[in-house]
Amino acid sequence: MTMGVSTDTVDTQMGRAPARRRGSATARRAETWASNAFFYGMVGFVLAFLYIPIAVLIAFSFNSSRSLSWPMTGVSLEWYARLLANEDLLEALWNSVYVAAAATALTLIIGVPAALALDRFDFPGKGLFRKLVLLPIALPGIITGISMLIMFRMIGFNLSLETVILGHATALVSVVVTQVFARLQRLPRSYEEASADLGASGLQTFFLVTLPNIRTAIIGAALLSFTLSFDEIPVTFFLTGRDNTLPMYIWSTLRRGLTPEINAVGALIVVFSIVLITLSVVLTRDKSGKRG
Amino acid sequence: MSEVIRIENLRKEFGDVIGVADVSLSIERGEYVTLLGPSGCGKSTLLRMIGGFEAPTSGTIWLDGEDVTDLPPNQRAVNMVFQDYALFPHMTVGQNVGYGLRVSGTPRAEIKPRVAETLSLVGLTDKADTSPAELSGGQRQRVALARAIVRHPKVLLLDEPLSALDANLREQMQVELRNLHNKVGLTFIMVTHDQSEALVMSDRVVVMRDGRVSQTGDPVSLYDAPANSYVADFIGATNLFASPVKASNGKIFVSCFGQELEIDHPAVDGVPAAERLFGFRPEKARLVRANGSVPQGNLLKGRLENVLYHGAMIRSVVVVGEGRILVDTLLDDTFDPARHAGTGDEVFVDIDPHKIMPFARDGAS
């Protein structure tokens, strides 16, 4: 009898429970749908906010007419052809590549050893050194530009692309230090200890163990540094001589009005940046996910 | 046997904190020595000083008759298995194992067979071209071992080598590590905080506390004759109690939580003395159910508070006066559950007077 009673209770509970669950499931599904719709709406809004201007730029670079009015009158590659014939623009582009490449090389030569020193060695004033190295990233470019201009004038340097390179390297060395330092912090100290334990000298340890493990951070920092230098204006504005970099050239032509050629350059830079960013993502992704 | 490591008055201070306090130790060739103690006792620091990763504040380390105190790690014929294994993630298993040979300029043609030989020693012959990331915890552990022994070091250091493994695998690796030691005949110095691991694996255990050596001995003597209450408590369980010593009728008595127990130990004479510590192992005592009569024996009367099931044995917690006494009973064929006392019952704990041990009060002797 007791058994029977308890089975009844169980039956009733089992009969009621699924119904209640079904009811709440419908409500929950509606709720999920609403929140999904909201979520995708937000995602779409953010993407539109970020990318519509760029899409417009790329679209107008193929416009057959000179005017920037919608709808476009036709499709042509005319502006790309003019771009290739514009020697001033091509020279500015080349200057930018030269400046960005040289500045990047310089930041790596200074930044990587600085990051190593910060992470692996203890020396008096280390905390202050770290803050001082990282400070230029927070400093407005205009300050870096003016102060370096004054300094170059003082020691009698003529302004040229090389002074621009020095200026960019100053501003960007903190980018490299931050990135490489962050990777070094995640690199277990025991790797280097194990290497030394197995008989490796300090140099062997650096080239066989440390460097391969921070390589992707260095490449990532280099790409970031290159991109930032490539479109830098404030520091360049103060430190350049007669030569123009691409952003400076674009800025100066804008005074004569917006030309579709600029749209074409912009479109090319967008494509180039996407390639660089994809490259840096792919390179920095390998193995780092599996580590630890 | 000959001495391979001699440590003299080794001391390490970290600012105001003393990590290792004047430790002296001698280790024989081929020995498996374990440094055992809780975290912060200085065992890892001692190991790292032998490996060359920490510079001693004072003292000397002799390796095979040579003073290596100030040599960097890459100039010492000792190798280490790191707690996190420290396998290089950008190299294959084979490259990891061959690393020590590669950096010492061993010809390529010689590296390959030696790597293969060492990998077969740890049972990973087919993994030479695998990335460490693809291996299981136990396999990584073996790669770390192979990498550390490939150059035939004079001493192999192991820093908590099994702590990252789960219980089953750990027991299996304990046996494998012990087998490997027998096979390669190297001197092993292992750091662990796990007392059962130390007992199972070592020829000799160095129990450390607060940077000092509390007791050194083979596992049996440590367990059966702990030098002090700290070792007694750290290695296995011990029923500890403080008591003065009393003599009457040619017998010697101590008081365990208010009840008198006879003690018969060569180190305890009948001279009345101030309070000191005594103790006995739970498995040396016997639990007797009170059936209205008082049984024969050296008895404590108490109430059974709890029975803890451990698979191969049960541990009974008996309330005696202000204290609790543990009694372990082996669950062999002679065990009769029907006759065993239940929770809340009045019970007696019967302990042989020979099995009660006196201890120095402090562990840092």
Side-chain angles (χ1 to χ4, degrees):
Chain A
M1 277 309 285
T2 356
M3 286 290 283
V5 170
S6 65
T7 331
D8 280 353
T9 331
V10 171
D11 279 348
T12 334
Q13 280 172 349
M14 281 173 69
R16 225 183 302 150
R20 211 184 305 136
R21 228 177 284 137
R22 213 175 297 134
S24 60
T26 321
R28 226 182 304 132
R29 219 171 292 143
E31 209 176 281
T32 313
W33 185 89
S35 74
N36 274 353
F38 178 74
F39 173 73
Y40 286 117
M42 280 308 287
V43 168
F45 176 75
V46 170
L47 288 180
F49 183 77
L50 290 176
Y51 288 104
I52 281 183
I54 294 172
V56 167
L57 173 108
I58 293 176
F60 274 120
S61 74
F62 293 106
N63 196 358
S64 58
S65 124
R66 171 167 278 275
S67 87
L68 294 177
S69 62
W70 198 259
M72 298 195 322
T73 46
V75 175
S76 92
L77 290 175
E78 185 195 344
W79 308 115
Y80 287 90
R82 281 224 202 157
L83 175 78
L84 289 176
N86 185 337
E87 275 175 23
D88 285 351
L89 192 149
L90 288 179
E91 197 194 324
L93 177 68
W94 164 244
N95 286 344
S96 270
V97 171
Y98 165 65
V99 166
T104 300
L106 201 56
T107 57
L108 292 183
I109 290 168
I110 301 169
V112 174
L116 282 166
L118 279 176
D119 183 59
R120 302 283 129 138
F121 301 102
D122 279 318
F123 49 89
K126 180 171 154 172
L128 184 65
F129 176 67
R130 183 168 169 211
K131 289 188 184 80
L132 289 177
V133 168
L134 298 185
L135 187 62
I137 207 172
L139 227 50
I142 196 161
I143 302 296
T144 310
I146 290 178
S147 49
M148 291 199 73
L149 174 67
I150 293 169
M151 189 190 79
F152 287 139
R153 278 280 151 77
M154 251 174 58
I155 57 180
F157 262 36
N158 284 327
L159 295 184
S160 63
L161 287 180
E162 284 70 34
T163 51
V164 176
I165 290 168
L166 287 176
H168 284 189
T170 309
L172 294 173
V173 88
S174 46
V175 170
V176 174
V177 173
T178 319
Q179 298 265 323
V180 176
F181 181 68
R183 176 65 61 87
L184 281 169
Q185 293 268 289
R186 287 200 293 137
L187 191 69
R189 199 60 69 99
S190 58
Y191 288 176
E192 281 155 10
E193 288 183 348
S195 172
D197 185 59
L198 293 164
S201 67
L203 277 181
Q204 282 174 319
T205 298
F206 178 73
F207 283 107
L208 296 176
V209 174
T210 313
L211 193 60
N213 278 296
I214 62 171
R215 195 192 74 230
T216 52
I218 293 175
I219 294 171
L223 291 174
L224 189 59
S225 190
F226 187 94
T227 315
L228 289 176
S229 165
F230 193 77
D231 71 355
E232 213 284 339
I233 287 190
V235 175
T236 318
F237 180 83
F238 288 102
L239 297 182
T240 193
R242 277 171 294 123
D243 303 299
N244 257 345
T245 61
L246 188 62
M248 295 285 289
Y249 173 82
I250 292 174
W251 182 74
S252 62
T253 51
L254 283 185
R255 279 183 298 193
R256 299 194 300 260
L258 210 56
T259 68
E261 264 173 288
I262 298 303
N263 292 338
V265 177
L268 287 179
I269 290 174
V270 168
V271 172
F272 180 63
S273 303
I274 288 173
V275 170
L276 273 191
I277 288 162
T278 313
L279 210 62
S280 92
V281 168
V282 169
L283 284 172
T284 45
R285 193 178 43 191
D286 77 338
K287 283 189 230 149
S288 57
K290 282 188 236 155
R291 185 172 293 119
Chain B
M1 288 232 252
S2 61
E3 188 183 61
V4 64
I5 281 201
R6 189 149 51 100
I7 290 164
E8 283 174 352
N9 299 319
L10 203 62
R11 187 181 184 84
K12 177 68 182 178
E13 293 170 10
F14 301 99
D16 290 341
V17 183
I18 296 167
V20 172
D22 304 319
V23 166
S24 294
L25 195 64
S26 165
I27 291 169
E28 300 287 310
R29 198 178 307 278
E31 234 187 339
Y32 197 131
V33 174
T34 301
L35 309 178
L36 174 68
S39 59
C41 74
K43 57 188 194 301
S44 287
T45 308
L46 181 55
L47 193 80
R48 289 175 61 80
M49 285 195 285
I50 299 172
F53 303 110
E54 302 279 356
T57 309
S58 61
T60 321
I61 303 169
W62 302 83
L63 175 65
D64 228 1
E66 184 197 0
D67 179 354
V68 297
T69 316
D70 299 320
L71 285 185
N74 56 356
Q75 288 169 34
R76 298 184 186 204
V78 300
N79 283 136
M80 177 128 145
V81 174
F82 289 81
Q83 189 171 6
D84 61 356
Y85 311 147
L87 299 179
F88 307 132
H90 59 291
M91 295 182 193
T92 65
V93 167
Q95 287 168 335
N96 264 283
V97 175
Y99 185 82
L101 301 171
R102 180 179 164 198
V103 295
S104 65
T106 311
R108 251 167 223 281
E110 196 184 317
I111 294 180
K112 226 180 158 193
R114 277 179 72 179
V115 167
E117 179 198 335
T118 313
L119 278 176
S120 82
L121 206 58
V122 296
L124 288 175
T125 311
D126 54 334
K127 299 286 185 200
D129 297 323
T130 316
S131 154
E134 292 165 40
L135 299 181
S136 70
Q139 289 170 329
R140 274 183 229 185
Q141 154 73 230
R142 286 182 223 177
V143 176
L145 271 170
R147 187 176 69 175
I149 61 174
V150 75
R151 295 209 306 165
H152 306 302
K154 287 178 178 155
V155 176
L156 182 70
L157 308 175
L158 303 113
D159 187 7
E160 303 255 4
L162 307 179
S163 64
L165 306 176
D166 51 27
N168 277 337
L169 194 56
R170 188 156 57 219
E171 283 193 16
Q172 189 191 329
M173 283 304 296
Q174 285 176 0
V175 178
E176 282 193 25
L177 211 54
R178 187 64 225 192
N179 287 344
L180 185 73
H181 174 257
N182 297 343
K183 241 191 289 184
V184 297
L186 295 173
T187 311
F188 280 34
I189 306 178
M190 180 175 85
V191 155
T192 184
H193 62 271
D194 183 336
Q195 46 105 3
S196 70
E197 196 168 286
L199 293 182
V200 167
M201 304 181 71
S202 330
D203 297 324
R204 205 150 55 101
V205 181
V206 178
V207 185
M208 293 187 67
R209 183 198 196 181
D210 298 335
R212 294 169 194 282
V213 174
S214 199
Q215 187 178 1
T216 305
D218 62 276
V220 176
S221 68
L222 277 186
Y223 191 84
D224 286 348
N228 49 58
S229 60
Y230 171 72
V231 175
D233 212 28
F234 195 76
I235 297 181
T238 302
N239 293 305
L240 281 174
F241 53 93
S243 165
V245 179
K246 213 170 68 176
S248 78
N249 297 335
K251 289 178 174 179
I252 304 164
F253 293 94
V254 291
S255 158
C256 174
F257 301 113
Q259 300 185 29
E260 286 210 336
L261 277 182
E262 191 192 339
I263 176 170
D264 187 355
H265 193 281
V268 183
D269 50 27
V271 181
E275 235 183 38
R276 62 187 292 192
L277 282 172
F278 297 90
F280 59 91
R281 297 288 192 189
E283 76 278 6
K284 304 293 188 203
R286 203 166 56 92
L287 198 69
V288 185
R289 186 151 67 162
N291 286 325
S293 63
V294 177
Q296 288 291 309
N298 192 29
L299 300 173
L300 293 170
K301 191 179 178 192
R303 188 176 52 78
L304 185 58
E305 184 190 49
N306 223 329
V307 178
L308 311 168
Y309 180 64
H310 281 259
M313 59 126 188
I314 52 171
R315 172 163 290 179
S316 307
V317 185
V318 181
V319 179
V320 175
E322 298 279 287
R324 279 175 174 72
I325 296 292
L326 304 177
V327 180
D328 288 353
T329 312
L330 199 63
L331 296 179
D332 57 10
D333 290 345
T334 62
F335 180 78
D336 179 3
R339 286 180 52 208
H340 197 77
T343 307
D345 287 358
E346 290 274 300
V347 291
F348 291 99
V349 176
D350 183 11
I351 174 73
D352 184 340
H354 296 288
K355 303 293 186 192
I356 302 176
M357 303 174 284
F359 299 120
R361 190 178 276 277
D362 189 26
S365 63

